[in-house]
Amino acid sequence: MSNRRRPALFNLYRNEFLRSKAWFARRDRWFTHHATTGQPLTCAGCGRTATRGQLELHHLDYRGVRLLDGAWSAGEPDEDLVSMHPYCHDLLHRLIDRDAVLARNRTRRTASHLALARLRQKLQPDHGDAA
């Protein structure tokens, strides 16, 4: 098992799924549901508040993403997605891709949680002191 981004699959996911109507509808549902919580939108990496337009969603798990008969389906549960600034999201993927411990022998969800914890330590200096 590997969590490294494989070029062919990553390109299909990035160039097709993330531009699909299914993903835009799913993204809208996530942000609409979050709005009902009354909590401000924040980046899971740096912890700063942000607007919907400033954030991307990171998949903790891809199980809900499907390509069936040429049509994309986005059936991820809300808890499989976390909001992040594009810069923080890129840093998260770099951590997962470049760290052998995170890139191999871990589930994507576990690798994401471990990488997010590291990112928070770097980007939120007070975060580590509170734990």
Side-chain angles (χ1 to χ4, degrees):
M1 167 180 19
S2 174
N3 288 308
R4 292 178 192 254
R5 292 186 273 189
R6 292 171 283 196
L9 290 176
F10 178 66
N11 286 336
L12 186 66
Y13 168 80
R14 184 184 63 208
N15 293 332
E16 290 187 19
F17 177 69
L18 292 179
R19 295 178 182 180
S20 71
K21 288 181 182 180
W23 172 241
F24 282 103
R26 178 64 190 102
R27 188 177 188 280
D28 285 344
R29 285 193 312 274
W30 189 92
F31 281 109
T32 298
H33 177 262
H34 188 279
T36 66
T37 68
Q39 298 174 7
L41 284 169
T42 59
C43 173
C46 67
R48 293 187 185 115
T49 58
T51 65
R52 175 182 175 155
Q54 295 171 318
L55 296 169
E56 299 176 343
L57 295 178
H58 172 74
H59 282 85
L60 296 175
D61 198 307
Y62 290 119
R63 287 181 294 187
V65 177
R66 303 248 187 275
L67 179 60
L68 302 170
D69 298 324
W72 287 100
S73 170
E76 312 88 332
D78 280 350
E79 56 272 7
D80 282 354
L81 302 167
V82 293
S83 58
M84 300 189 78
H85 288 113
Y87 176 74
C88 296
H89 193 185
D90 185 55
L91 289 176
L92 180 72
H93 278 283
R94 287 181 191 196
L95 279 172
I96 293 170
D97 289 349
R98 293 180 182 169
D99 186 310
V101 173
L102 295 175
R104 289 186 226 104
N105 302 317
R106 302 216 186 259
T107 66
R108 171 150 177 91
R109 180 178 300 281
T110 300
S112 288
H113 283 299
L114 291 170
L116 274 169
R118 274 195 212 159
L119 199 57
R120 286 182 190 120
Q121 284 179 333
K122 298 291 184 185
L123 299 177
Q124 301 176 32
D126 296 337
H127 181 79
D129 298 336

